[in-house]
Amino acid sequence: MTPQPQPSMPQQQRLALIEQARKAVLESRAPLSPPLLAPWVERSWRRCLDIGLEPRQHITFDTVTSGAAQRAIEANQPLLRAAAPVIQSLSRAMAHTRYFAILTDARGLVIDVNGPVDRHNPQAASIARIGVDLSERAVGTTAIGTTLADLQPVWLHRGEHFFDDTSVYSCAGAPIWGPDGQCVGMLDLTGVNVIEQPALKHLVTQSARSIENALTLSQPHRLLLCLSWPGRMPGDASDGLVCLDADGQITALNRPAADMLGIAAGMAPGHCSELFAVPVETLFDAARHQRGPLEVPLWSGLRLSVLAQLSQGGERGALHGAAGHSLPLKDVETAMIRKAVDDARGNVKEAARALGISRATVYRKLGRKG
């Protein structure tokens, strides 16, 4: 039998604290002192009370009309394409846990389901359907509604859901941000009558970021900038990604890039020369000559490590193969290190110095022995 990780607090104690919180907030309408809930749970409960919902109400998981569901599917094709490989890979990470994945649009409407859904269990089958409205207004406090309301990753277990009818669920959720800085949907991992798995909050957050990166790379662009802070090697999902057209206008960027560059959600990023204190020609030239990462100053006074890559065919990102299949950013890192070694005519010490990393790191990344 696969060993199950233990939550940080004994299960019975955890459930007892949740029940204590339910009595205080949902029955007595009293403030919590000391806090017994994650802040996003209490906020959601109080929003549900404010719109007249009652915990003991029986709820049905209603679907929208077939026409409305089809329109949602058509409108969210970019999100569905970007999410498909990420959602499929989740089955390996969640093997033997009985959790499954739900993808919704920005309104909380289910547009994709993947994983071991027990169709004989009505509590699982009722929510794991395309077109079901799982917004907070429709089904109360869930990871889906709470994520879309607070726009942050959340974890909810059993009685932390608002309705008594939904206290069988445990779920993690994270918002998905589009290349324009707007929330385009959310990813949810749900189980029915399962052991608590708070680590899924980290998994769903990382998975949402991978979807965001795929959405960013799908935008037409001539130059891709991979951003990291000096001292860090590019090559993972936390890298900032900035897409530029041939004139240097920013066409798309992911959430880490917006955070690094100080661009608020919904704010037009503009031209790269308004952020980077170097001519745009410098970035294109670095890409053409494959110079590896450069330390580039920002007008804010900060500096970033920037790896510039020309796109293939002028539209798809340089991280895509000839058939348009995305490559992991770690492959960009490996290719960059290999080129530095080639440029140094096999001198690993010189290549490591040029990249600002140790020789041991070069050997490890290329799978060689020192």
Side-chain angles (χ1 to χ4, degrees):
M1 178 179 291
T2 304
Q4 294 286 359
Q6 295 300 311
S8 57
M9 181 184 296
Q11 180 78 351
Q12 292 306 314
Q13 181 182 354
R14 172 95 159 99
L15 294 177
L17 289 176
I18 293 173
E19 184 59 29
Q20 185 180 344
R22 290 184 70 84
K23 290 179 179 178
V25 177
L26 301 182
E27 294 181 16
S28 303
R29 308 297 201 258
L32 283 180
S33 181
L36 302 173
L37 294 171
W40 55 81
V41 176
E42 183 176 0
R43 285 195 296 268
S44 178
W45 282 6
R46 296 195 185 280
R47 285 194 298 268
C48 292
L49 292 172
D50 288 343
I51 61 175
L53 300 180
E54 291 295 332
R56 292 184 176 84
Q57 287 177 236
H58 289 296
I59 64 168
T60 57
F61 295 97
D62 296 324
T63 58
V64 297
T65 65
S66 58
Q70 185 59 38
R71 287 192 294 274
I73 295 294
E74 292 172 356
N76 287 280
Q77 280 300 305
L79 174 58
L80 286 163
R81 286 193 297 268
V86 178
I87 291 178
Q88 289 167 8
S89 71
L90 285 170
S91 61
R92 299 198 304 274
M94 299 191 299
H96 312 299
T97 66
R98 294 191 292 128
Y99 282 79
F100 52 89
I102 294 176
L103 182 71
T104 83
D105 66 8
R107 299 170 298 167
L109 194 70
V110 177
I111 57 175
D112 193 19
V113 177
N114 191 281
V117 180
D118 182 0
R119 296 294 174 183
H120 298 292
N121 182 340
Q123 294 161 325
S126 60
I127 65 171
R129 295 179 294 152
I130 305 298
V132 176
D133 182 0
L134 296 180
S135 65
E136 190 174 78
R137 182 171 289 274
V139 297
T141 303
T142 65
I144 292 171
T146 306
T147 292
L148 293 175
D150 280 15
L151 296 178
Q152 66 174 3
V154 303
W155 167 256
L156 282 84
H157 182 54
R158 299 290 184 94
E160 290 180 319
H161 293 74
F162 181 81
F163 288 110
D164 294 345
D165 285 353
T166 54
S167 63
V168 297
Y169 300 107
S170 298
C171 48
I176 299 171
W177 299 92
D180 60 355
Q182 301 295 321
C183 178
V184 295
M186 67 82 60
L187 180 62
D188 171 86
L189 308 178
T190 289
V192 182
N193 287 320
V194 291
I195 188 171
E196 183 168 21
Q197 298 277 9
L200 291 182
K201 180 183 172 185
H202 183 269
L203 175 60
V204 78
T205 301
Q206 294 301 307
S207 300
R209 183 166 289 176
S210 295
I211 295 171
E212 292 167 3
N213 289 347
L215 282 170
T216 300
L217 292 171
S218 70
Q219 300 301 301
H221 58 281
R222 187 70 186 93
L223 187 70
L224 174 68
L225 305 179
C226 297
L227 313 182
S228 57
W229 295 109
R232 285 192 64 258
M233 285 295 296
D236 60 37
S238 65
D239 286 349
L241 300 178
V242 179
C243 298
L244 306 180
D245 66 15
D247 296 322
Q249 194 74 22
I250 297 176
T251 60
L253 74 169
N254 67 355
R255 187 76 171 181
D259 290 341
M260 291 179 191
L261 297 171
I263 300 173
M267 176 180 167
H271 195 274
C272 72
S273 62
E274 299 171 6
L275 301 167
F276 298 96
V278 295
V280 65
E281 292 78 10
T282 301
L283 300 174
F284 276 93
D285 188 56
R288 280 190 291 268
H289 293 89
Q290 299 183 345
R291 289 176 180 163
L294 305 173
E295 281 202 12
V296 176
L298 305 179
W299 289 116
S300 66
L302 299 173
R303 298 178 73 86
L304 287 173
S305 178
V306 179
L307 175 63
Q309 301 245 327
L310 286 171
S311 69
Q312 297 178 357
E315 290 184 354
R316 300 301 295 242
L319 300 184
H320 286 70
H325 299 295
S326 61
L327 299 174
L329 290 177
K330 66 181 180 180
D331 291 349
V332 178
E333 175 190 68
T334 302
M336 181 186 68
I337 294 174
R338 185 173 289 115
K339 183 180 185 304
V341 174
D342 291 342
D343 291 344
R345 299 179 181 180
N347 188 323
V348 173
K349 182 177 180 180
E350 183 179 332
R353 185 185 300 114
L355 291 170
I357 59 178
S358 68
R359 283 184 293 174
T361 299
V362 173
Y363 287 124
R364 178 169 55 83
K365 294 292 185 180
L366 297 184
R368 300 179 182 178
K369 293 183 178 180

